[in-house]
Amino acid sequence: MSSLHREEIYSSPTGIYQGPADMDPKYDNLKWVLVHTGNDIAYGLVYVAGDLLRRGHKIIWIDGEGDIEKNVKKIKEYSPHYICFGPLSSEFLQDLKLTKAIKKELPLTKTVFGGHHVKAIPEEVENHSEIDYVVWGPVYGTIDKIIETGENKVIEGAPTVPSNMQPALREYYEQIPRMGNRERKYIMSHFGCVYNCSFCCTDVTRKAFGPKVYKEFWLERRPIENMIEEAKLLLEFETKEVSFEDDDVLYGTHKNGDGTEWLSEFRDAWKKEINLPMYANVTPQTVVRSTDKALKVLADLVDTVQMGVQTTGGDSSKLFNRHFQDENQVTEAVKILTKYGVKVKLEVIIGLPNIDNLVPDPITDAINTIQMCQRISRSVPHNMTWTSCFPLMLYPGTQLWKKSMEAKVPLNDACEFEWHSGEGSVKFDKITQNRIKNMTKMATMFIKYNMSERWMRALMDVNITEESSRQLS
């Protein structure tokens, strides 16, 4: 495959995809298969589906979690020209297994891989001959290139303004019923994040396209009418709750920001036309800077938010590139939200590697993080907070992954990038590994009942059965 210099700044103004005005396709009526893998809604691939349908192509969906032999048979009967995958890191090997099986039966059918995993490390994909194309970046501007280009190519997509982006969800929910029947579904107003956490892939995209383009396209919100149109479909598929999956729903709601008015208009439209309960993500820094109006609107829109706290202040925050955040800020944010009647789910990460001697003892660091959550929870009325504690995942291509590789941090073979398993990416000695896993399972209890460090250290050494582990997840 051709090499792509990911660190170059994306600056060509002629490369920016402008949408319908230049969307006259050179090709149409080709058959495409889109493969859903994993337990999360394939929100990226449904936008690929939208672009394909808009260009006059035919699509079907396959559930990659199903029996491989049956999936291959179904694909063979459809006889597609192209098969598209968009795996997360946790799903890449599974999709690769299906791809190999498909190629045995349909060697001339072309396979296309995109998504965060291949975007972070496209060079890894070059080692797999069964992958014909890698789409790096957005789908927009790539469909005709895929058709025209010989295989074994990295094809770079270009961003488009959000008003041009609309997912094709009906086919997805109908053909992947376990997703269509989920009580909670997703919606997003923008696809970027203002932060630069070392464990996240945001840094890859921002560096590649440059901060100006990133802000203009990834942080620009979609038109409200487009989101309402999308949400109306959710009403047809047994949806009971919608997760507002923006990394931070309060982005831009500071004084003189334009986010407050957007959020207010969205709330009004949502209440009038959809009126499903919502759940949203926030961060401490935006909460403490948000206007009273924005917070009131948020409280009218959701009853619960998820707040990414990740770790305590100090050295572990430096490792995550979150040195701007400390316990006082998180506490203030939680107090503000609960004052408006909004419940807060705190999310933290433990099992950190010791790089530059920032986290010499992962167990003490984990206990400090849990104790922080205990203090925060007790600063607000009872039952207004709870905590989820996850093991650290080192996603390929991220800053922290690169630092860990450079520091020769050993990796845990049992890690499958599944948060709720308790198996993180960092390999510790057997005792420490078990303690980290147990703490992810019992942290909620430790915090709710304000357990002392003595009790935590005693309980982290118990042997939890697999069935109990699943129940605790």
Side-chain angles (χ1 to χ4, degrees):
M1 290 187 178
S2 60
S3 299
L4 183 68
H5 299 290
R6 295 184 288 109
E7 302 301 321
E8 292 180 358
I9 300 300
Y10 187 89
S11 59
S12 171
T14 59
I16 301 300
Y17 177 77
Q18 294 299 334
D22 67 351
M23 271 191 58
D24 294 333
K26 298 178 183 178
Y27 312 93
D28 61 11
N29 211 36
L30 296 180
K31 292 182 177 181
W32 301 69
V33 171
L34 297 105
V35 180
H36 165 89
T37 314
N39 294 317
D40 290 316
I41 291 174
Y43 207 62
L45 271 181
V46 294
Y47 281 88
V48 175
D51 201 45
L52 287 169
L53 290 176
R54 194 162 48 179
R55 290 173 172 269
H57 295 289
K58 299 175 181 178
I59 67 167
I60 66 166
W61 284 88
I62 294 290
D63 191 341
E65 297 294 323
D67 180 78
I68 288 181
E69 186 175 337
K70 290 180 179 178
N71 276 338
V72 172
K73 181 180 178 182
K74 185 175 180 180
I75 293 170
K76 190 174 181 180
E77 289 173 351
Y78 183 63
S79 189
H81 298 88
Y82 299 92
I83 305 174
C84 298
F85 300 82
L88 301 174
S89 296
S90 56
E91 301 152 3
F92 179 71
L93 293 179
Q94 185 175 349
D95 279 354
L96 203 60
K97 187 176 181 181
L98 177 58
T99 303
K100 291 177 180 179
I102 292 168
K103 281 292 189 178
K104 286 182 180 179
E105 296 293 327
L106 295 168
L108 298 180
T109 298
K110 305 304 181 184
T111 56
V112 185
F113 271 63
H116 288 302
H117 182 80
V118 299
K119 183 170 68 175
I121 48 172
E123 60 275 6
E124 176 186 316
V125 185
E126 295 182 19
N127 298 323
H128 300 285
S129 60
E130 62 272 21
I131 298 176
D132 297 307
Y133 304 95
V134 171
V135 171
W136 191 92
V139 63
Y140 304 104
T142 67
I143 301 301
D144 285 347
K145 290 180 184 178
I146 291 171
I147 297 167
E148 292 174 342
T149 306
E151 63 267 23
N152 298 326
K153 294 291 183 182
V154 176
I155 297 175
E156 184 177 357
T160 184
V161 291
S163 59
N164 294 333
M165 302 169 64
Q166 196 68 2
L169 283 163
R170 181 176 297 280
E171 296 81 3
Y172 175 63
Y173 286 144
E174 288 176 346
Q175 296 174 38
I176 311 293
R178 66 186 179 93
M179 293 292 111
N181 295 334
R182 287 181 65 162
E183 294 183 353
R184 177 189 287 178
K185 297 187 177 71
Y186 296 171
I187 198 165
M188 297 182 75
S189 75
H190 66 80
F191 306 96
C193 181
V194 296
Y195 302 108
N196 197 30
C197 301
S198 63
F199 52 80
C200 180
C201 64
T202 294
D203 175 67
V204 176
T205 305
R206 185 183 281 112
K207 276 186 176 179
F209 289 93
K212 182 179 182 295
V213 171
Y214 186 83
K215 182 177 181 180
E216 184 177 354
F217 293 96
W218 273 267
L219 292 175
E220 179 70 20
R221 284 191 165 97
R222 297 168 61 199
I224 291 171
E225 58 268 25
N226 288 12
M227 295 180 66
I228 296 300
E229 178 185 346
E230 175 185 336
K232 286 178 179 177
L233 185 66
L234 305 184
L235 298 173
E236 301 179 29
F237 286 90
E238 304 297 327
T239 307
K240 295 184 179 179
E241 183 181 37
V242 177
S243 181
F244 206 148
E245 279 296 304
D246 293 12
D247 278 339
D248 193 337
V249 72
L250 291 175
Y251 164 65
T253 61
H254 54 280
K255 185 178 180 181
N256 297 324
D258 59 4
T260 298
E261 288 307 313
W262 185 95
L263 190 62
S264 180
E265 291 175 13
F266 174 79
R267 182 272 316 269
D268 293 344
W270 186 268
K271 291 284 186 179
K272 179 181 178 181
E273 301 194 50
I274 308 300
N275 204 30
L276 285 171
M278 293 201 85
Y279 180 88
N281 301 306
V282 298
T283 59
Q285 191 172 45
T286 54
V287 172
V288 300
R289 298 175 64 203
S290 289
T291 62
D292 287 339
K293 181 179 179 180
L295 293 164
K296 289 176 182 177
V297 169
L298 179 67
D300 194 29
L301 191 60
V302 307
D303 63 4
T304 304
V305 295
Q306 184 170 274
M307 181 183 288
V309 177
Q310 317 311 358
T311 187
T312 60
D315 288 344
S316 55
S317 288
K318 293 177 183 177
L319 187 64
F320 282 173
N321 197 26
R322 293 182 69 91
H323 47 276
F324 54 83
Q325 175 185 294
D326 59 22
E327 183 177 335
N328 289 335
Q329 185 187 70
V330 178
T331 302
E332 181 185 359
V334 173
K335 286 181 176 179
I336 289 171
L337 289 167
T338 56
K339 182 183 72 173
Y340 284 94
V342 178
K343 295 180 180 179
V344 182
K345 175 189 175 187
L346 304 172
E347 289 197 330
V348 294
I349 301 173
I350 63 173
L352 280 56
N354 184 26
I355 298 174
D356 298 331
N357 204 35
L358 292 175
V359 187
D361 180 3
I363 300 302
T364 298
D365 177 76
I367 289 174
N368 289 341
T369 296
I370 290 172
Q371 289 176 328
M372 174 190 68
C373 293
Q374 288 177 330
R375 291 189 293 271
I376 293 170
S377 295
R378 270 143 193 80
S379 70
V380 298
H382 185 59
N383 287 334
M384 291 300 288
T385 69
W386 76 99
T387 303
S388 287
C389 181
F390 302 114
L392 174 67
M393 303 297 177
L394 293 172
Y395 291 104
T398 61
Q399 295 177 50
L400 189 53
W401 176 81
K402 292 176 182 178
K403 286 184 177 180
S404 297
M405 297 304 98
E406 291 169 359
K408 299 187 182 331
V409 172
L411 299 181
N412 177 16
D413 291 336
C415 176
E416 297 181 347
F417 297 96
E418 173 53 62
W419 288 94
H420 300 286
S421 69
E423 296 285 358
S425 289
V426 180
K427 182 179 181 180
F428 299 102
D429 62 83
K430 188 174 181 180
I431 293 175
T432 301
Q433 201 85 42
N434 186 63
R435 287 172 174 173
I436 293 293
K437 184 174 182 177
N438 285 350
M439 290 179 79
T440 66
K441 305 293 183 178
M442 294 189 281
T444 301
M445 178 181 70
F446 291 163
I447 295 163
K448 181 175 181 179
Y449 297 104
N450 202 28
M451 290 190 173
S452 67
E453 181 175 344
R454 178 184 175 188
W455 273 102
M456 283 192 272
R457 288 190 179 273
L459 289 171
M460 72 174 70
D461 282 327
V462 302
N463 290 318
I464 301 176
T465 65
E466 284 300 315
E467 178 59 29
S468 296
S469 180
R470 282 194 292 270
Q471 293 294 324
L472 288 169
S473 293

